[in-house]
Amino acid sequence: MPRYRHVGDSRIYLMRQGAIQQLTQDHSLVMEQVRRGYITLEQAQQSDMQNIILRALGSEEAVEPDIEDLVAVPGDVLLMTSDGLTRHVRDEEILQIVTGAADLNQACNALVQAAKRPRWRRQHHLPAGQIVERSWYQNIFSKLFFGGPQWQNSI
């Protein structure tokens, strides 16, 4: 079972069977205020304090990540993205772009273009991967000749 670890305000999304789910929680001041009910999500999106990160790599000698297990099934798409995308492109539009693309490379290019619309001058890095089912003989050959599972079909 795959396990992921998360710290900061970059997000990991799971797209499965036409739905999108944010797997990680942002470790920012405004999202902590939303979780505690001090402000609404709409207020957080307009806040001048969006860049205040409460938990991040390098900010302290040791940092405790959120750790979650994920049951992945064939056809799942996992997308890791920075706030440069998620501040300007809503989750539903992300899902529409990814599911409407011919492949992950085209989807990532379209997501970068969508994030650039508001003249956001940041670089966008969008690793994405899709879970694929391999036949039994591919699994055996992989273990015999390559030492085990390998990342495939990811950009």
Side-chain angles (χ1 to χ4, degrees):
M1 177 179 307
R3 176 172 280 176
Y4 61 91
R5 294 165 177 83
H6 176 257
V7 172
D9 67 343
S10 294
R11 294 180 180 176
I12 300 174
Y13 287 96
L14 168 66
M15 284 160 263
R16 176 183 288 166
Q17 297 178 348
I20 187 169
Q21 177 186 1
Q22 182 179 333
L23 297 179
T24 57
Q25 291 187 14
D26 295 0
H27 297 134
S28 65
L29 176 62
V30 294
M31 289 311 294
E32 184 63 27
Q33 291 175 327
V34 170
R35 281 191 288 279
R36 293 177 184 235
Y38 299 147
I39 62 174
T40 66
L41 186 57
E42 292 76 24
Q43 290 170 320
Q45 291 169 343
Q46 302 302 318
S47 175
D48 293 333
M49 296 186 289
Q50 289 183 22
N51 292 326
I52 299 174
I53 306 301
L54 300 177
R55 198 178 343 161
L57 292 176
S59 61
E60 298 178 23
E61 188 174 314
V63 63
E64 176 124 7
D66 294 341
I67 301 173
E68 297 289 335
D69 291 325
L70 171 68
V71 176
V73 298
D76 284 356
V77 173
L78 296 169
L79 174 71
M80 189 173 89
T81 180
S82 69
D83 62 339
L85 176 73
T86 57
R87 280 194 189 167
H88 302 292
V89 183
R90 300 286 168 243
D91 293 1
E92 298 75 27
E93 188 178 358
I94 292 171
L95 176 65
Q96 184 180 23
I97 290 170
V98 172
T99 57
D103 57 34
L104 291 179
N105 191 37
Q106 183 185 36
C108 288
N109 287 334
L111 288 169
V112 168
Q113 292 307 312
K116 287 182 178 180
R117 285 188 306 226
R119 293 186 232 155
W120 189 252
R121 297 284 182 216
R122 289 179 60 169
Q123 289 199 6
H124 304 283
H125 303 281
L126 304 168
Q130 184 168 21
I131 307 301
V132 295
E133 189 169 21
R134 296 189 322 179
S135 63
W136 63 270
Y137 60 85
Q138 288 175 314
N139 290 332
I140 291 173
F141 288 134
S142 175
K143 287 180 184 175
L144 288 175
F145 299 110
F146 302 109
Q150 305 289 319
W151 283 101
Q152 296 181 4
N153 301 329
S154 62
I155 56 172

